[in-house]
Amino acid sequence: MAVTLFALAAQSAAAPPVHAQASQPAAKSKRPTPAAQRAAPTPVAPKALQDGQAETRLLKVYQLASEGRGREALAQAESLAREYPNFQLAQLAVGDLLAARVRPIKQLGDVPEPALPYPPEVTATLDELRTESRQRVQAQRARPAATHIPAQFVELAPRYKHAIAIDASRSRLYLFENTDKGLKLVADYYASVGKSGIEKASEGDQRTPLGVYFITSRLDPATLKDFYGAGALPINYPNPLDQSRGKTGSGIWLHGTPPEQFSRAPLATDGCVALANPDLERILRTVEPRSTPVVIAQKLQWVQAQSMQAERQSFETVLNAWRTAKSNGDMNRLLGFYAPDFQSYKKKPLGEWAAVLQAEAQALKGRTVHLKDKAYLRWTDSADTMVVTFGEVAEGARTGPIKRQYWTRRGQQWQIFFEGVIG
């Protein structure tokens, strides 16, 4: 081939930025490709599909082609297309490798020019597939080091078994296991976001939200339309930070794809995050609702895990000062930790919440408050926010309420602008 598939797959000229309005509608249930579809092998009976396998095999096809091993690449591409007949990139690779036997190919999905121009939706589909291909290749090339984690994960107690981080700029979801040695990256997958990109602000804007969220439940696929594939995991958008900024909307899920579609375009959903069904099935089997954080960022910042220690200790000092004030029943000092614009889950302003705090302090009867199973997740954009979750247990008690607080840094001081019981 004059230009190898692997090199073509990594080209970036056609990609729209994830924060911009998509130029073409992308939420189609089918993404047909000309020529490549005609070259597709006959599908065989489906078999159990493993998470990440299709992408690994596709990238191997690209690698073989880049090494000039066209026959091996074609054989593996045909095998991939047979086993995953709805994987459009596999069909596209077959078509390109067949075409390369008789002519040079100049771009991924190098279909012959017809007598009449292709319809706009066909051109848009090819552009989407090229972008998807490039995102997959670049994600492989830019895999984070094993010692690095996203900067948002300041602290996770052992009860938080897993965590998820999504990098919209790379169309990538990262799944972590929380081990006794810290967070460990165990899998990462291609993922689609909103048609109009990211930074969701209002109902129906077809954007995916940015922020720190938690999986709230696991939806049974039997209760869902086929469109959502293997199932769905709702997240708690809009969270208290979103609400304080006047953001609206609901129904943001991590979900799968319809049966006829292996994966969707990078910008394709109404605001959800969509994954291939085998990849979502791995996540469905793995994560636990209510205790699995989901960070969605325009671009993840990866840092050395050990570098988080100073930040963790710094905030721990502030939280311990709040705990001490509550344990001592020092209302003046305790209220100094709350922002003037504070609101609780039931929209109680600070004046009403002060009565709640007073009642809780009296119920302690001088007992020390202990904070168990703490999680600190930091979100920094135009403001600096710490999302804090813990079990609040009075000395001598075996259990207590699970609380979540949202702290914001104002000047040199951290203040609580939201607090509520979540369990």
Side-chain angles (χ1 to χ4, degrees):
M1 296 179 223
V3 185
T4 69
L5 273 178
F6 192 74
L8 290 170
Q11 289 178 354
S12 58
V18 296
H19 60 273
Q21 176 71 36
S23 59
Q24 295 287 347
K28 299 181 284 294
S29 61
K30 298 181 179 179
R31 289 162 62 192
T33 58
Q37 293 286 2
R38 294 195 296 271
T42 302
V44 296
K47 67 176 189 177
L49 305 179
Q50 298 178 7
D51 63 298
Q53 183 188 73
E55 179 180 78
T56 299
R57 291 170 61 183
L58 176 72
L59 296 179
K60 179 63 175 178
V61 168
Y62 290 165
Q63 187 64 46
L64 289 170
S66 73
E67 295 169 356
R69 297 159 67 183
R71 289 183 179 274
E72 292 178 65
L74 179 58
Q76 293 203 20
E78 289 177 332
S79 174
L80 178 60
R82 282 194 300 270
E83 293 181 37
Y84 296 81
N86 59 353
F87 191 10
Q88 288 89 348
L89 282 179
Q91 307 286 3
L92 200 65
V94 171
D96 279 339
L97 288 163
L98 287 171
R101 290 180 164 186
V102 296
R103 60 179 175 84
I105 57 171
K106 300 177 181 178
Q107 60 178 335
L108 196 69
D110 191 8
V111 296
E113 287 295 330
L116 296 175
Y118 287 119
E121 60 269 21
V122 172
T123 302
T125 294
L126 283 169
D127 286 342
E128 290 168 357
L129 288 166
R130 290 169 187 140
T131 302
E132 176 186 338
S133 177
R134 190 196 64 258
Q135 292 290 77
R136 291 178 183 274
V137 170
Q138 291 186 344
Q140 183 201 47
R141 291 177 170 177
R143 285 183 59 81
T147 56
H148 285 58
I149 62 173
Q152 290 83 4
F153 296 125
V154 179
E155 169 80 356
L156 285 179
R159 74 176 294 266
Y160 296 86
K161 302 298 185 184
H162 296 89
I164 288 172
I166 296 165
D167 187 322
S169 72
R170 295 200 181 279
S171 305
R172 207 75 183 170
L173 180 148
Y174 299 87
L175 175 64
F176 297 87
E177 180 183 358
N178 192 18
T179 73
D180 56 0
K181 296 181 180 179
L183 286 177
K184 175 185 177 183
L185 180 61
V186 293
D188 60 289
Y189 306 114
Y190 169 81
S192 305
V193 299
K195 296 183 187 75
S196 298
I198 52 176
E199 296 188 274
K200 185 172 185 63
S202 59
E203 181 76 40
D205 64 6
Q206 297 182 325
R207 293 179 180 271
T208 297
L210 299 179
V212 171
Y213 301 97
F214 287 84
I215 292 172
T216 60
S217 61
R218 182 185 288 109
L219 302 183
D220 185 346
T223 67
L224 302 173
K225 297 178 181 178
D226 286 348
F227 180 80
Y228 298 105
L233 296 166
I235 62 173
N236 66 323
Y237 173 88
N239 64 25
L241 176 60
D242 297 325
Q243 294 177 38
S244 73
R245 294 174 170 180
K247 296 184 178 181
T248 60
S250 61
I252 302 300
W253 301 349
L254 311 184
H255 64 73
T257 56
E260 70 274 12
Q261 196 171 19
F262 181 77
S263 58
R264 299 179 68 182
L267 304 178
T269 75
D270 287 334
C272 295
V273 176
L275 296 95
N277 288 321
D279 303 342
L280 182 72
E281 286 168 355
R282 162 75 181 277
I283 294 173
L284 289 168
R285 293 193 304 268
T286 301
V287 304
E288 298 180 351
R290 299 175 63 83
S291 63
T292 301
V294 177
V295 167
I296 308 176
Q298 191 277 328
K299 184 176 179 63
L300 289 172
Q301 178 188 358
W302 295 86
V303 298
Q304 285 272 1
Q306 63 185 23
S307 72
M308 305 296 289
Q309 183 174 356
E311 184 176 354
R312 181 166 54 249
Q313 292 176 343
S314 176
F315 185 78
E316 186 92 12
T317 300
V318 176
L319 188 63
N320 277 332
W322 171 87
R323 180 186 62 84
T324 300
K326 186 164 188 177
S327 298
N328 294 339
D330 187 343
M331 291 304 297
N332 286 335
R333 188 178 180 199
L334 183 61
L335 289 172
F337 287 97
Y338 290 81
D341 56 350
F342 170 90
Q343 281 197 333
S344 71
Y345 264 128
K346 295 184 178 180
K347 306 297 182 184
K348 289 183 178 180
L350 185 57
E352 294 182 34
W353 193 249
V356 175
L357 292 173
Q358 180 72 58
E360 289 181 349
Q362 290 174 351
L364 287 171
K365 297 179 180 180
R367 293 178 295 170
T368 299
V369 170
H370 298 282
L371 306 184
K372 308 291 187 180
D373 297 325
K374 291 173 287 188
Y376 310 151
L377 294 140
R378 192 168 189 171
W379 181 256
T380 305
D381 48 20
S382 60
D384 200 1
T385 304
M386 194 75 78
V387 183
V388 184
T389 310
F390 53 81
E392 185 178 292
V393 182
E395 187 173 5
R398 298 181 64 184
T399 62
I402 299 174
K403 292 188 173 181
R404 182 161 294 149
Q405 298 174 331
Y406 283 69
W407 296 66
T408 184
R409 185 192 288 276
R410 292 177 177 169
Q412 297 300 309
Q413 184 179 7
W414 283 101
Q415 289 188 313
I416 304 166
F417 70 86
F418 171 87
E419 181 176 316
V421 176
I422 62 169

